[in-house]
Amino acid sequence: MHAPLTLTHASYATQGVRILTDLTLTLAEPRIGIVGRNGSGKTTLLRLMAGLIAPTAGQVRIGPTDPARDRKATLAQIGILFQNPDHQILFPTVEEELAFGLTQQHHPDPTAAVAALLASEGRTHWAKAATHTLSHGQRHYLCLLAVLLMNPATLLLDEPFAGLDLPTQTRLKRRLDVLPQQIITISHDPAAVATAQRILWLDQGRIRADGPPAEVLPAFTAEMTRIGEHDADTTLPA
């Protein structure tokens, strides 16, 4: 059972620039989507919830835990999947990459756990493979497996389908759909979060709308279309 993520008047600024402003949220639903334009603060919000950065005002909690202060407790609560797997992979081989998180958690036998996971996924032959030889989609899937091995209660996904071809997107979506964890997905694509129970629309670091997808996504799509039409003039001056 996941402890709810709560933000209380949480803000984040860096180098004098405010990125997130006064966010107060309780995120308890099993599937939550967060949409917004590029630059709206989505990835910063994800990093804030994961404890990778601390709010410059207000607070973030996972149950009673401050994720930025208690990284050890956060490992069991939150797993994060970045958009670019190359920002996440640290080790030269698949088995080393998968074992790293378990070692951090003081697992009694990381090697056996990694072997069992790869066998269950039909990927035993990946064990000794160099991570840089995997395709983009395979590296992305490796990052997901590394997170799942740590068995976090909540998964934070940053544009999980970006850069993947359609078959890889389909396989990844099928895998995510059956997971028991709470999943919070950040995307600029409404289709990626259409089946969530709750949608947050982040606009210039603030929550513009918060509700079921049938209410929020049409309004978001209409506004993106309006902005696109307004910005569509590409005529160069004479």
Side-chain angles (χ1 to χ4, degrees):
M1 181 67 180
H2 66 270
L5 265 162
T6 59
L7 291 81
T8 306
H9 300 297
S11 299
Y12 182 77
T14 181
Q15 298 180 334
V17 177
R18 181 68 65 87
I19 299 174
L20 299 172
T21 301
D22 196 29
L23 302 181
T24 295
L25 300 164
T26 298
L27 304 175
E29 292 81 2
R31 296 292 187 268
I32 297 173
I34 302 176
V35 296
R37 295 185 73 186
N38 291 339
S40 63
K42 300 189 305 297
T43 297
T44 300
L45 176 57
L46 198 79
R47 292 172 62 84
L48 199 70
M49 293 189 293
L52 300 178
I53 55 176
T56 50
Q59 68 176 26
V60 178
R61 294 289 185 270
I62 308 167
T65 302
D66 180 338
R69 289 181 176 272
D70 192 343
R71 296 298 302 146
K72 183 177 180 181
T74 302
L75 288 175
Q77 295 291 332
I78 295 286
I80 185 169
L81 186 67
F82 293 105
Q83 178 177 348
N84 186 343
D86 295 332
H87 294 165
Q88 194 157 351
I89 293 173
L90 299 174
F91 290 89
T93 68
V94 167
E95 62 184 359
E96 289 174 294
E97 182 66 28
L98 291 174
F100 175 63
L102 294 178
T103 301
Q104 285 187 303
Q105 291 181 317
H106 306 291
H107 189 282
D109 194 347
T111 301
V114 167
L117 174 70
L118 289 175
S120 70
E121 295 283 334
R123 288 170 169 82
T124 300
H125 57 294
W126 280 23
K128 302 295 183 182
T131 52
H132 75 271
T133 66
L134 303 181
S135 70
H136 177 82
Q138 288 172 331
R139 295 196 304 276
H140 201 66
Y141 203 82
L142 170 61
C143 291
L144 175 63
L145 293 181
V147 170
L148 293 180
L149 259 180
M150 299 173 71
N151 197 30
T154 294
L155 297 177
L156 305 178
L157 310 181
D158 186 5
E159 300 285 1
F161 305 113
L164 303 180
D165 61 23
L166 288 177
T168 306
Q169 288 184 34
T170 300
R171 287 195 296 271
L172 179 59
K173 186 178 186 304
R174 186 170 62 243
R175 187 70 168 85
L176 294 172
D177 284 347
V178 299
L179 292 177
Q181 283 93 344
Q182 180 190 40
I183 298 180
I184 299 175
T185 302
I186 282 182
S187 183
H188 66 273
D189 180 8
V193 294
T195 58
Q197 286 95 9
R198 179 183 178 188
I199 302 292
L200 307 176
W201 175 3
L202 193 65
D203 185 19
Q204 297 183 353
R206 297 178 181 269
I207 298 299
R208 178 161 174 175
D210 179 355
E215 293 179 9
V216 178
L217 291 180
F220 172 73
T221 301
E223 178 63 6
M224 296 305 101
T225 300
R226 186 194 69 78
I227 292 171
E229 290 172 348
H230 179 73
D231 292 342
D233 184 3
T234 58
T235 302
L236 296 174

